[in-house]
Amino acid sequence: MTAYEIISKKRDGLSLTDDEIKFFINDFVTGDIPEYQMSAFLMAIYFQGMSSSEITALTQAYIHSGQVIDLSHISGKKVDKHSTGGVGDKVSIIIAPIVAAAGGCVPMISGRGLGHTGGTLDKLESIPGFKIDYDVETFIKKLANIGTCLIGQTSELAPADKKIYALRDVTATVPSVPLIAASIMSKKIAEGIDALVLDVKVGSGAFMPDKNSARELAKTLIRIGEDNGKTTIAYLTDMMHPLGKAVGNWLEIEECIECLKGKQTGPLMDLSHQLAGAMIYLAGRTNDIEQGIEISKNMVADGSAWKKFLEITESQEGDISYLEHPRKYPKAKYSKTFSATSTGWLDNIDALEVGLCSVQLGAGRQKVTDRIDPSAGIIFHVQRGEKVQKGAPVFSIYTNKENTLDIIFKRLEKAVHISATEMSTSPIILDYLDKNDLD
Ligand code: URA
């Protein structure tokens, strides 16, 4: 068996055996297969897809590239949430503290930015000192003490995903059901959960552009979860527009601070409470999701979620003085604000274009070796559906790259639309699926 033969087989649309898939993944992790062959393999999968048994084999190869954590000595059900990726999606950073404050146990292996979408790890690392690369023993200790610990894939946990994820980010091979499924589910199964809430994003800013493809992805993820003994549910949620007001790493942490202090309402908080409520229910702490949502709201209202976020940050060596006094964070050198040229209602913000522009501003990577600029990104001063007066600010952009400022400003001007008439906004949650929806 050679890497060349396996790439050719997939390129020609043939099915791979479990052994061929295992060989390719294992030899890439050890360094015996180079990145250029893995890139070709990923592109072949992107174009040809994989059968359900190939996806199972791919996920197993990813999982067993590292350890699977046993958390049975920690009492209660362990529950996590994962999103398939969106623009301005900072929900994990809001709900991990909420659920931990409610007494849940949340082991969370997250990802970095992927393509035009942001990543939880890059956002957390924008907090000075915040560490996301603990060994398994330390991860378990922090989880048991605090109720949650947010880390990335490591050389011990889902190392195949760690290496392949970084390559997919820059080779345009992200929007593929088999590759997304193996990536997400390997991390979630390795971290030792009992139950999982999935946020499958739909729309221009997501990897699944329409409801049908998102349902297909959701079913694949649920099937893998349930086959591995994990209760798995999925919400399909809107990603036609960025989620919340901020896009970009530190800018999104500032928004999370507002959310955890109970100072924000709208789609981001509605979605956060729904997903946190579902986690609290799956953790066995309530009789239904509605009660879970009530608890989630209480955790924000009484300050417990904010306190827990500070506790998590301290536990993961972050400097909480920046969370307590966000204004002391260094600002990007260049900024520019777009103001409304007429009075109207903000009716469209193109999420894909916003995501691509934020990468150009420095908030994402274009090459594996690129460094993220934590202060770069975009702030929307008005949310979709809100009224804006002529001359009022609509969005501001922030960057340290002087020569991208005007180019990106012009692109973003075209990515927002203000309508002369008020329109109704679509719901953030579009659908719900669980094991009963599997064919
Ligand atoms: N999140 C992941 O962890 N992996 C993907 O491929 C997409 C979203």
Side-chain angles (χ1 to χ4, degrees):
M1 183 174 350
T2 66
Y4 181 91
E5 286 162 355
I6 295 170
I7 297 167
S8 321
K9 217 173 147 184
K10 189 35 71 188
R11 179 202 62 200
D12 296 340
L14 301 173
S15 279
L16 301 178
T17 65
D18 292 6
D19 285 344
E20 285 168 335
I21 292 171
K22 199 167 148 192
F23 162 80
F24 208 100
I25 300 302
N26 286 349
D27 276 33
F28 178 65
V29 173
T30 56
D32 292 325
I33 289 180
E35 286 191 344
Y36 53 82
Q37 284 187 313
M38 179 52 93
S39 302
F41 185 56
L42 294 172
M43 196 54 90
I45 295 174
Y46 173 84
F47 279 115
Q48 297 294 353
M50 277 184 147
S51 67
S52 137
S53 63
E54 286 177 294
I55 297 176
T56 300
L58 186 68
T59 310
Q60 291 303 325
Y62 269 52
I63 295 169
H64 296 294
S65 65
Q67 296 180 32
V68 176
I69 301 182
D70 178 2
L71 295 175
S72 54
H73 63 286
I74 302 179
S75 64
K77 289 209 173 118
K78 281 49 104 188
V79 54
D80 191 10
K81 164 263 166 191
H82 201 88
S83 154
T84 57
V87 179
D89 182 1
K90 67 260 322 157
V91 170
S92 291
I93 301 169
I94 299 170
I95 68 179
I98 292 179
V99 179
C105 177
V106 187
M108 194 179 266
I109 304 181
S110 299
R112 296 195 176 281
L114 202 50
H116 65 276
T117 68
T120 300
L121 300 178
D122 294 327
K123 294 170 201 184
L124 289 172
E125 275 187 339
S126 73
I127 303 171
F130 200 106
K131 277 187 69 180
I132 49 90
D133 54 356
Y134 294 108
D135 60 27
V136 170
E137 203 185 319
T138 314
F139 173 69
I140 297 175
K141 252 191 221 148
K142 289 186 186 296
L143 179 64
N145 287 341
I146 308 289
T148 184
C149 185
L150 298 95
I151 58 167
Q153 314 94 318
T154 65
S155 52
E156 292 174 287
L157 294 170
D161 186 48
K162 183 179 169 76
K163 280 188 85 177
I164 297 169
Y165 194 98
L167 209 49
R168 287 170 60 219
D169 180 28
V170 291
T171 54
T173 49
V174 179
S176 150
V177 169
L179 297 177
I180 296 175
S183 166
I184 293 180
M185 297 312 287
S186 61
K187 291 193 277 288
K188 302 295 109 173
I189 292 163
E191 70 190 16
I193 47 165
D194 299 297
L196 177 62
V197 178
L198 291 161
D199 180 2
V200 180
K201 300 280 185 205
V202 189
S204 70
F207 297 120
M208 298 294 123
D210 54 62
K211 258 177 106 173
N212 284 344
S213 56
R215 278 182 78 87
E216 186 209 341
L217 174 60
K219 284 189 197 175
T220 303
L221 296 167
I222 293 170
R223 179 182 63 73
I224 298 171
E226 295 287 341
D227 284 353
N228 282 276
K230 319 291 176 196
T231 305
T232 308
I233 65 169
Y235 290 93
L236 302 195
T237 74
D238 179 86
M239 191 27 78
M240 287 300 288
H241 314 280
L243 190 56
K245 298 177 182 172
V247 179
N249 299 288
W250 171 256
L251 301 178
E252 293 192 44
I253 293 291
E254 281 190 307
E255 188 173 15
C256 291
I257 296 171
E258 295 292 294
C259 291
L260 286 165
K261 286 184 161 179
K263 292 186 186 160
Q264 187 160 322
T265 54
L268 171 61
M269 281 319 290
D270 295 344
L271 179 59
S272 297
H273 287 310
Q274 183 74 41
L275 299 178
M279 288 171 78
I280 292 167
Y281 163 65
L282 289 177
R285 308 196 78 81
T286 57
N287 293 325
D288 58 33
I289 295 177
E290 286 311 309
Q291 284 177 13
I293 293 173
E294 277 317 298
I295 292 188
S296 173
K297 289 181 176 167
N298 292 340
M299 291 301 108
V300 173
D302 72 6
S304 314
W306 166 240
K307 227 173 104 202
K308 184 58 80 175
F309 186 44
L310 294 177
E311 218 183 302
I312 296 165
T313 302
E314 266 191 322
S315 150
Q316 298 197 218
E317 301 169 61
D319 182 345
I320 62 165
S321 71
Y322 287 93
L323 303 182
E324 290 170 325
H325 308 285
R327 278 166 186 241
K328 77 177 209 179
Y329 200 83
K331 293 246 174 306
K333 264 201 225 140
Y334 309 102
S335 66
K336 196 163 176 174
T337 295
F338 172 76
S339 302
T341 49
S342 58
T343 296
W345 284 264
L346 186 61
D347 81 341
N348 192 33
I349 308 174
D350 179 341
L352 175 60
E353 187 62 355
V354 170
L356 293 170
C357 285
S358 74
V359 172
Q360 296 279 326
L361 290 170
R365 297 175 188 80
Q366 297 176 68
K367 296 192 295 298
V368 172
T369 47
D370 281 352
R371 288 176 72 91
I372 294 278
D373 175 355
S375 61
I378 305 155
I379 298 276
F380 290 94
H381 304 286
V382 206
Q383 298 208 54
R384 189 170 168 263
E386 282 178 0
K387 189 166 187 183
V388 56
Q389 298 293 336
K390 183 177 175 181
V394 178
F395 66 80
S396 300
I397 62 175
Y398 301 89
T399 185
N400 285 303
K401 300 192 219 168
E402 189 177 8
N403 44 13
T404 59
L405 190 75
D406 287 327
I407 301 166
I408 296 304
F409 187 79
K410 285 201 185 89
R411 276 178 66 176
L412 282 172
E413 266 182 316
K414 292 193 199 116
V416 297
H417 183 253
I418 294 171
S419 159
T421 51
E422 188 171 7
M423 75 299 165
S424 58
T425 49
S426 45
I428 185 81
I429 295 170
L430 307 173
D431 209 349
Y432 166 86
L433 287 91
D434 60 24
K435 64 174 186 225
N436 299 316
D437 295 290
L438 299 181
D439 311 317

